[in-house]
Amino acid sequence: MSRLKKWLLGLCFLLLAVALWVVFSPMPQGIPVLEYHEVAESVDEDAYVYNVPPEEFRQQLDYLQQQGYTTISMLDFMKAKRGKMELPAKPIILTFDDGYEDNYTDLLPILEEYGMKATVYVITNEIGQPGYLNWEQLRDMQDRGIEIGSHTANHDPLTGMDAARQLDEVHLSKLLLEWNGIYTVYTFSYPNGAYDASLPALLAQNEYLTAVTGDAGLNTFETDPYLMQRVNIPHPRFGLLEFKLRLLKAEVFTKLRIHQHLENPS
Ligand SMILES: [Zn+2]
């Protein structure tokens, strides 16, 4: 056998071993944080890629229920981490970035129908603009069990911004929400998923407890609470199968300890 053949055979065995290990060893016990944007029947073309149509969203929620998942908020996760709350057997967190108006008109009724919780991250300078949530809707959503988080004031990536502006984006967006009747804002979502090593400390100084990235993976109490990983759920092109594969990908990435730092334009 030539050296090349031996090498290829070895590689095949290695790949087979990895595949068997992924398939047969128990999947990691981690909490998925799903990353959505819009749930609406019709959206403009720019938003299409981030929109999950209501029918497909319902199929996803049906699947999560069948799998025994119970939705929790980011604050529930932090309470449980500090031993102040018991988590359900299979917790999952649903998050929605940017604060689109359809989160109120289309998403909220579906969540209520399923008895599920969610966290909505709003861009405070967009509040009340066409296509975005207004203050009344935000307060009503909060009264109906939705957790509101900050996605900064202007949605500019925080990386590469000077420290004074970073502070404004992080601090003023939180204050504005709280001044307008939103409960203490504990949770934050990095615009475009862009973060650097200094940002967790800045968020902690500004009394945030958690932040979500766009990095793929699941979360445990050992995960840095300011670098929570998510499972991105864009417009599905392959139906429910794609949703299942995206959840599986996060499990596999967690298991293989692959850290995929993604920056997306959302
Ligand atoms: Zn965003």
Side-chain angles (χ1 to χ4, degrees):
M1 203 185 281
S2 72
R3 270 180 69 179
L4 180 67
K5 274 187 184 164
K6 274 186 190 165
W7 188 84
L8 283 173
L9 197 65
L11 184 68
C12 287
F13 273 116
L14 183 68
L15 287 174
L16 185 67
V18 170
L20 286 173
W21 175 68
V22 165
V23 172
F24 289 108
S25 66
M27 276 300 179
Q29 297 291 308
I31 300 178
V33 178
L34 305 189
E35 176 187 352
Y36 290 96
H37 289 80
E38 298 197 67
V39 171
E41 211 61 73
S42 60
V43 292
D44 63 48
E45 233 163 76
D46 290 349
Y48 174 82
V49 70
Y50 297 114
N51 179 50
V52 179
E55 236 6 83
E56 303 221 45
F57 183 62
R58 279 202 167 84
Q59 285 174 15
Q60 296 176 358
L61 297 188
D62 285 335
Y63 175 72
L64 294 178
Q65 276 186 337
Q66 285 159 17
Q67 295 295 307
Y69 282 108
T70 305
T71 52
I72 61 165
S73 66
M74 297 297 300
L75 187 59
D76 291 341
F77 175 82
M78 290 311 292
K79 281 184 182 164
K81 182 179 159 92
R82 291 170 184 198
K84 292 177 181 165
M85 192 184 138
E86 192 100 354
L87 285 183
K90 277 182 88 172
I92 190 163
I93 303 175
L94 309 182
T95 68
F96 294 82
D97 278 13
D98 299 353
Y100 295 107
E101 191 172 23
D102 54 59
N103 289 181
Y104 184 76
T105 53
D106 297 58
L107 167 69
L108 183 61
I110 299 174
L111 291 174
E112 288 185 326
E113 189 185 312
Y114 281 83
M116 289 185 174
K117 292 181 175 185
T119 304
V120 172
Y121 291 104
V122 295
I123 306 159
T124 57
N125 278 354
E126 299 287 3
I127 296 170
Q129 297 299 311
Y132 290 90
L133 294 160
N134 63 38
W135 287 111
E136 214 171 309
Q137 290 167 334
L138 272 173
R139 285 187 289 261
D140 191 35
M141 284 179 101
Q142 168 171 269
D143 290 345
R144 289 156 71 177
I146 302 296
E147 177 179 56
I148 311 294
S150 168
H151 197 31
T152 71
N154 296 296
H155 203 273
D156 293 326
L158 295 174
T159 47
M161 199 182 266
D162 66 60
R165 241 198 101 197
Q166 280 180 339
L167 178 64
D168 279 356
E169 291 286 342
V170 163
H171 182 62
L172 295 181
S173 59
K174 184 180 197 291
L175 279 188
L176 189 72
L177 287 167
E178 291 169 1
W179 284 337
N180 281 281
I182 301 305
Y183 305 142
T184 308
V185 176
Y186 294 109
T187 185
F188 182 87
S189 171
Y190 299 99
N192 298 9
Y195 63 85
D196 60 34
S198 72
L199 289 169
L202 179 69
L203 291 169
Q205 283 154 20
N206 284 278
E207 295 171 2
Y208 288 96
L209 298 180
T210 69
V212 290
T213 66
D215 301 355
L218 305 179
N219 304 279
T220 68
F221 291 153
E222 277 71 54
T223 307
D224 184 330
Y226 296 102
L227 298 175
M228 302 268 291
Q229 303 178 102
R230 290 198 286 183
V231 182
N232 188 29
I233 313 292
H235 184 89
R237 281 171 297 172
F238 305 104
L240 191 61
L241 177 68
E242 181 180 331
F243 181 73
K244 292 177 186 174
L245 287 176
R246 285 179 180 277
L247 274 175
L248 183 68
K249 178 186 155 194
E251 288 176 354
V252 170
F253 272 43
T254 306
K255 191 184 211 38
L256 297 176
R257 296 195 177 78
I258 296 171
H259 193 82
Q260 187 189 33
H261 179 42
L262 292 174
E263 292 198 8
N264 57 53
S266 53

